[in-house]
Amino acid sequence: MDSAFLGAGIAALGTLGTAIGQGYAAGKAVEAVARNPEAESKIRTTLIVGDAIAETSAIYSLIIAILLIFVAPGQA
């Protein structure tokens, strides 16, 4: 049972990369809008789509962590 919680904690670390990536993308979007304010709507749309795609890895990590906690091997 303890190993399931350890595995869930390790799976939750997958969200760290997502957070860093989304922060980097948001920073670059702000720089792009500062350089070209007329393209703000296109940049915003691209940022939202990119963040949604990046967020899927965090959601997968969360699902794996929840499965490890509640459906741990040996709990039959």
Side-chain angles (χ1 to χ4, degrees):
M1 179 71 153
D2 293 333
S3 62
F5 293 131
L6 178 64
I10 292 171
L13 288 177
T15 60
L16 183 64
T18 300
I20 291 170
Q22 287 180 343
Y24 183 76
K28 290 298 182 179
V30 169
E31 288 178 15
V33 170
R35 277 183 267 146
N36 190 3
E38 295 85 25
E40 179 183 0
S41 64
K42 274 188 160 183
I43 294 168
R44 184 184 319 122
T45 302
T46 304
L47 174 67
I48 290 172
V49 170
D51 279 351
I53 291 170
E55 191 68 30
T56 58
S57 64
I59 293 170
Y60 292 147
S61 295
L62 175 67
I63 289 171
I64 290 170
I66 289 172
L67 285 173
L68 284 171
I69 290 172
F70 294 110
V71 190
Q75 278 190 341

